[in-house]
Each structure stands twice: as structure tokens, then as C-alpha cells.
């Protein structure tokens, strides 16, 4: 009888240790996900700061593209005010489309393509886009790990007791991945 009591106490102890370990792992992944999102936000803010300079540089050479400049400004404004992963992803898709159109227009102006200011801005934008892609990948990897742990058994029990919720992935739409179509 005493041996059975000790076995029961040991099983309860192991279950509590597992619950503690799993809870701490869930917290660590949640914090890591929030940090990853903040890294995406930092890079997006950096891109938003570059956009007006890029637009002004292109404006000097292609003043008649006013509608495109307005579209870029509108997309930037919507992206800055977006909240939540889904809204931010949608807004970023629009920003990417308009930036690609702006850069495609720049291809039609050899003097602009040779401008040191434009080249520096384009290089900085390219670097920022790479950082955004890396931050997005890190965020999605972390969200994947968190969501997997939340949905697996028996950690699912601990997750539901701790009120952990799955997070949304930061995804871009398929049309953004393809070539840009510029219409005049």
C-alpha cells in the first residue's frame, strides 16, 4: 500500500514537472514571437522612412507620374496604420506592389538610374527588403513552433489552462511573388 502511494506521488510529481516545463516553454515561445514581430515592425518602419525620399527622387525625373506617387503615398499611409498580422500583411502587399511599380517606372529614365541619390536609396531599400524577409521568416518559424506546441497533445492541455492562443502567420500573397505588371 505504501509503495502504491509513493508511485502515485511520483506520477503526480512527474506530471507537475511536465506541466511546469511545458508552460515555461510556451511562455518562452510567446515572448519570442512578440519579439520577432517587433523586429518586423522595426524593418517596416525603416522602409516607410525610405519611401518618401525615393518618391521625391523619382518625382524630379518623372513628374508626370503623379498618380503612381499618390498610390505609393496612400499604400504607405495604410501600412503605417495597419494593426494585426493579417491587416499588416495585406498593407505590405500593397506597398510592395506600388514600390515595384515605382522602380519599374524608374527604369524608363536613364538619368534617374544613374543618379547617385537614387542608387543609394535603391540599395538601402534592397537591404531593408532583405531584412524584412529574414524577420518575416524568423517570425513565421517562431509562430510555427508555438502553434505546434499549442496543438500537440499533452501540451495542448497546459496551453488551454494557460490560455495560450495560436498566432497568425505573416504571409504575402502569391501575386506579390511574381513579376510586376506596369500599366500606363
Amino acid at each position: 500500500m505504501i509503495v502504491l502511494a509513493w508511485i502515485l506521488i511520483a506520477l503526480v510529481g512527474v506530471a507537475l514537472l511536465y506541466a511546469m516545463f511545458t508552460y515555461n516553454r510556451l511562455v518562452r515561445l510567446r515572448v519570442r514571437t512578440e519579439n520577432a514581430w517587433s523586429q518586423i515592425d522595426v524593418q517596416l518602419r525603416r522602409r516607410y522612412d525610405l519611401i518618401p525620399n525615393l518618391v521625391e527622387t523619382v518625382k524630379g525625373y518623372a513628374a508626370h507620374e503623379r498618380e503612381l506617387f499618390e498610390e505609393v503615398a496612400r499604400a504607405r499611409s495604410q501600412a503605417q496604420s495597419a494593426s494585426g498580422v493579417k491587416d499588416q500583411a495585406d498593407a505590405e502587399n500593397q506597398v510592395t506592389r506600388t514600390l515595384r511599380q515605382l522602380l519599374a517606372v524608374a527604369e524608363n529614365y536613364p538619368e534617374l538610374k544613374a543618379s547617385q541619390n537614387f542608387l543609394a536609396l535603391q540599395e538601402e531599400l534592397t537591404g531593408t527588403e532583405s531584412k524584412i524577409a529574414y524577420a518575416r521568416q524568423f517570425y513565421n518559424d517562431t509562430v510555427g513552433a508555438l502553434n505546434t506546441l499549442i496543438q500537440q497533445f499533452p501540451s495542448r492541455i497546459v496551453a488551454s489552462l494557460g490560455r495560450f492562443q495560436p498566432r497568425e502567420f505573416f504571409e504575402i500573397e502569391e501575386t506579390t511573388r511574381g513579376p510586376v505588371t506596369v500599366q500606363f
Side-chain angles (χ1 to χ4, degrees):
M1 186 73 158
I2 291 181
V3 172
L4 187 60
W6 280 110
I7 291 174
L8 188 59
I9 290 172
L11 287 174
V12 168
V14 167
L16 286 175
L17 283 175
Y18 174 78
M20 238 175 29
F21 172 76
T22 302
Y23 182 82
N24 288 337
R25 189 168 169 212
L26 285 162
V27 168
R28 189 171 45 253
L29 283 171
R30 181 178 59 197
V31 169
R32 196 178 219 179
T33 300
E34 290 166 359
N35 180 45
W37 181 254
S38 72
Q39 293 304 314
I40 289 174
D41 191 50
V42 165
Q43 296 306 322
L44 293 176
R45 300 283 171 226
R46 182 175 175 192
R47 181 166 76 164
Y48 302 151
D49 291 343
L50 288 172
I51 290 172
N53 295 332
L54 189 63
V55 167
E56 287 302 316
T57 302
V58 175
K59 257 187 195 179
Y61 291 88
H64 62 281
E65 305 288 349
R66 189 175 61 93
E67 186 177 308
L68 176 59
F69 301 141
E70 290 172 359
E71 193 175 328
V72 170
R74 195 172 30 255
R76 175 183 179 259
S77 176
Q78 288 174 346
Q80 285 181 307
S81 64
S83 62
V85 176
K86 174 87 171 89
D87 289 342
Q88 191 72 55
D90 291 343
E92 289 311 312
N93 287 328
Q94 183 62 28
V95 168
T96 300
R97 275 192 297 279
T98 59
L99 280 178
R100 284 185 178 176
Q101 288 177 333
L102 183 67
L103 293 174
V105 164
E107 291 294 319
N108 295 328
Y109 298 91
E111 324 78 60
L112 173 60
K113 287 181 5 185
S115 164
Q116 289 296 348
N117 191 23
F118 177 73
L119 292 174
L121 285 169
Q122 192 173 21
E123 181 65 31
E124 196 167 339
L125 185 62
T126 301
T128 301
E129 294 294 335
S130 295
K131 290 175 184 176
I132 290 170
Y134 174 78
R136 183 182 308 149
Q137 178 184 356
F138 180 72
Y139 172 79
N140 284 340
D141 289 347
T142 307
V143 166
L146 177 65
N147 289 351
T148 300
L149 190 60
I150 286 173
Q151 295 172 16
Q152 286 178 333
F153 183 82
S155 58
R156 180 180 213 159
I157 297 167
V158 177
S160 65
L161 291 173
R163 295 189 179 112
F164 288 89
Q165 298 295 320
R167 300 287 176 106
E168 287 184 66
F169 288 97
F170 188 54
E171 298 184 43
I172 57 173
E173 61 187 36
E174 289 298 320
T175 57
T176 304
R177 295 180 187 161
V180 172
T181 307
V182 180
Q183 297 175 348
F184 295 105

